[in-house]
Coordinates of all heavy atoms in Angstrom, one line a residue:
P7 N -7.2 -1.5 6.4 CA -5.9 -0.9 6.5 C -5.9 0.6 6.5 O -6.8 1.2 5.8 CB -5.2 -1.5 5.2 CG -6.1 -2.6 4.8 CD -7.5 -2.3 5.3
A8 N -5.0 1.2 7.3 CA -5.1 2.7 7.4 C -3.6 3.2 7.5 O -2.7 2.5 7.9 CB -5.9 3.1 8.6
D9 N -3.5 4.4 7.2 CA -2.2 5.1 7.4 C -2.6 6.5 7.8 O -3.0 7.3 7.0 CB -1.3 5.1 6.1 CG 0.1 5.6 6.4 OD1 0.3 6.8 6.4 OD2 0.9 4.8 6.7
G10 N -2.4 6.8 9.1 CA -2.8 8.1 9.6 C -4.3 8.3 9.4 O -5.1 7.4 9.8
D11 N -4.8 9.3 8.7 CA -6.2 9.6 8.5 C -6.7 8.8 7.3 O -7.9 8.9 7.0 CB -6.5 11.1 8.4 CG -6.2 11.8 9.6 OD1 -6.3 11.2 10.7 OD2 -5.9 13.0 9.6
L12 N -5.9 8.2 6.5 CA -6.3 7.6 5.3 C -6.7 6.1 5.6 O -6.0 5.4 6.2 CB -5.1 7.6 4.3 CG -4.5 8.9 4.0 CD1 -3.2 8.8 3.2 CD2 -5.5 9.7 3.1
V19 N -5.8 -2.7 -0.9 CA -4.4 -2.8 -0.3 C -3.7 -4.1 -0.8 O -2.5 -4.1 -1.0 CB -4.4 -2.7 1.2 CG1 -3.1 -2.9 1.8 CG2 -4.9 -1.3 1.6
L22 N -2.5 -3.3 -4.1 CA -1.3 -2.5 -4.0 C -0.1 -3.4 -3.7 O 1.0 -3.2 -4.3 CB -1.5 -1.5 -2.9 CG -0.2 -0.7 -2.5 CD1 0.2 0.2 -3.6 CD2 -0.5 0.1 -1.2
K23 N -0.2 -4.3 -2.7 CA 0.9 -5.2 -2.3 C 1.3 -6.0 -3.5 O 2.5 -6.2 -3.7 CB 0.4 -6.0 -1.2 CG 1.5 -7.0 -0.7 CD 1.1 -7.7 0.6 CE 2.0 -8.8 1.1 NZ 3.4 -8.7 0.7
M26 N 3.4 -3.9 -5.8 CA 4.7 -3.6 -5.2 C 5.6 -4.8 -5.2 O 6.8 -4.7 -5.5 CB 4.5 -3.0 -3.8 CG 3.9 -1.6 -3.9 SD 3.7 -0.8 -2.3 CE 5.4 -0.3 -2.1
R30 N 9.2 -5.5 -7.2 CA 10.4 -6.0 -6.6 C 11.0 -7.2 -7.3 O 12.2 -7.4 -7.4 CB 10.1 -6.3 -5.1 CG 10.0 -5.1 -4.3 CD 9.9 -5.4 -2.8 NE 9.4 -4.2 -2.1 CZ 8.3 -4.2 -1.4 NH1 7.6 -5.2 -1.3 NH2 7.9 -3.1 -0.9
K40 N 13.1 0.7 -1.2 CA 11.6 0.4 -1.2 C 10.8 1.7 -1.0 O 9.7 1.8 -1.5 CB 11.3 -0.6 -0.1 CG 11.8 -2.0 -0.4 CD 11.2 -2.9 0.6 CE 12.2 -3.4 1.6 NZ 11.7 -4.3 2.6
T41 N 11.3 2.6 -0.2 CA 10.5 3.8 0.1 C 10.6 4.8 -1.0 O 10.0 5.9 -0.8 CB 11.0 4.4 1.5 OG1 12.4 4.6 1.4 CG2 10.7 3.5 2.6
V58 N -3.4 9.5 -2.4 CA -2.0 9.3 -1.9 C -1.0 9.7 -2.9 O 0.1 10.3 -2.5 CB -1.8 7.8 -1.5 CG1 -0.4 7.5 -1.0 CG2 -2.8 7.4 -0.4
R61 N 0.6 13.1 -2.7 CA 1.4 13.5 -1.5 C 2.9 13.2 -1.7 O 3.3 12.3 -2.4 CB 0.9 12.7 -0.3 CG -0.6 13.0 0.1 CD -1.1 12.1 1.2 NE -0.2 12.0 2.3 CZ -0.7 12.1 3.6 NH1 -1.9 12.3 3.8 NH2 0.2 12.1 4.6
D63 N 4.9 12.1 0.5 CA 5.3 10.9 1.3 C 4.7 9.7 0.7 O 4.6 8.6 1.4 CB 5.1 11.1 2.8 CG 3.6 11.4 3.1 OD1 2.8 11.7 2.2 OD2 3.3 11.3 4.3
A64 N 4.1 9.7 -0.5 CA 3.4 8.6 -1.1 C 4.2 7.3 -1.0 O 3.7 6.3 -0.6 CB 3.0 8.9 -2.5
P65 N 5.5 7.3 -1.4 CA 6.2 6.0 -1.4 C 6.3 5.3 0.0 O 6.1 4.1 0.1 CB 7.6 6.3 -1.9 CG 7.4 7.6 -2.7 CD 6.3 8.3 -2.0
M66 N 6.4 6.2 1.0 CA 6.5 5.6 2.4 C 5.1 5.1 2.8 O 5.0 4.1 3.5 CB 7.0 6.7 3.4 CG 8.4 7.0 3.2 SD 9.0 8.1 4.4 CE 8.3 9.6 3.9
I67 N 4.0 5.8 2.4 CA 2.7 5.4 2.8 C 2.4 4.0 2.1 O 1.9 3.1 2.7 CB 1.6 6.4 2.3 CG1 1.8 7.7 3.2 CG2 0.2 5.8 2.4 CD1 0.9 8.8 2.8
F68 N 2.7 3.9 0.8 CA 2.5 2.7 0.1 C 3.3 1.5 0.7 O 2.8 0.4 0.8 CB 2.9 2.8 -1.4 CG 1.9 3.7 -2.2 CD1 2.3 4.7 -3.0 CD2 0.5 3.4 -2.1 CE1 1.4 5.5 -3.7 CE2 -0.4 4.2 -2.8 CZ 0.0 5.2 -3.6
E69 N 4.5 1.8 1.1 CA 5.3 0.7 1.7 C 4.7 0.3 3.0 O 4.6 -0.9 3.3 CB 6.7 1.2 2.0 CG 7.7 0.2 2.5 CD 7.9 -1.0 1.6 OE1 7.7 -0.9 0.4 OE2 8.2 -2.1 2.2
R70 N 4.2 1.2 3.9 CA 3.6 0.8 5.1 C 2.3 0.0 4.9 O 2.0 -1.0 5.5 CB 3.3 2.0 6.0 CG 4.5 2.7 6.6 CD 4.2 3.7 7.6 NE 3.4 4.8 7.1 CZ 3.9 6.0 6.8 NH1 5.2 6.2 6.9 NH2 3.2 7.0 6.4
L71 N 1.5 0.5 3.9 CA 0.3 -0.2 3.6 C 0.5 -1.6 3.1 O -0.2 -2.6 3.4 CB -0.6 0.6 2.5 CG -1.3 1.8 3.1 CD1 -1.8 2.6 1.9 CD2 -2.4 1.4 4.0
S72 N 1.5 -1.8 2.3 CA 1.8 -3.2 1.8 C 2.2 -4.1 2.9 O 1.9 -5.3 2.9 CB 2.8 -3.1 0.6 OG 4.1 -2.9 1.1
I73 N 2.9 -3.6 3.9 CA 3.3 -4.4 5.0 C 2.0 -4.7 5.9 O 1.8 -5.8 6.3 CB 4.3 -3.6 5.9 CG1 5.7 -3.6 5.1 CG2 4.5 -4.3 7.3 CD1 6.7 -2.6 5.7
D74 N 1.2 -3.7 6.1 CA 0.0 -3.8 6.9 C -1.0 -4.8 6.2 O -1.8 -5.4 6.9 CB -0.7 -2.5 7.1 CG 0.1 -1.6 8.1 OD1 0.9 -2.1 8.8 OD2 -0.2 -0.4 8.1
A75 N -1.0 -4.9 4.9 CA -1.9 -5.8 4.2 C -1.9 -7.2 4.8 O -2.9 -7.9 5.1 CB -1.6 -5.9 2.7
D76 N -0.7 -7.7 5.1 CA -0.5 -9.1 5.7 C -1.1 -9.1 7.1 O -1.7 -10.0 7.5 CB 0.9 -9.5 5.7 CG 1.5 -9.8 4.3 OD1 0.6 -10.2 3.4 OD2 2.7 -9.6 4.1
L77 N -0.8 -8.1 7.9 CA -1.3 -8.0 9.2 C -2.8 -8.0 9.3 O -3.4 -8.6 10.2 CB -0.7 -6.8 10.0 CG 0.8 -6.8 10.1 CD1 1.3 -5.4 10.7 CD2 1.3 -7.9 11.1
C78 N -3.4 -7.2 8.4 CA -4.8 -7.1 8.4 C -5.5 -8.4 8.0 O -6.6 -8.7 8.4 CB -5.3 -6.0 7.5 SG -4.8 -4.4 8.1
S87 N -1.5 -3.5 13.9 CA -0.8 -2.3 13.4 C -1.4 -1.9 12.1 O -1.5 -2.6 11.2 CB 0.7 -2.7 13.3 OG 1.3 -1.6 12.6
G88 N -1.8 -0.6 12.1 CA -2.3 -0.1 10.8 C -3.7 -0.4 10.5 O -4.3 0.0 9.5
C89 N -4.4 -1.3 11.3 CA -5.8 -1.6 11.0 C -6.8 -1.0 12.0 O -6.5 -0.9 13.2 CB -6.0 -3.2 11.1 SG -5.0 -4.1 9.9

Side-chain angles (χ1 to χ4, degrees):
D9 191 272
D11 293 336
L12 304 168
V19 174
L22 169 68
K23 181 172 173 26
M26 294 183 74
R30 286 189 196 120
K40 288 190 251 183
T41 54
V58 177
R61 296 174 54 133
D63 58 347
M66 288 183 290
I67 291 173
F68 287 130
E69 182 62 26
R70 287 192 299 262
L71 285 169
S72 72
I73 292 167
D74 287 347
D76 290 333
L77 295 173
C78 291
S87 171
C89 299

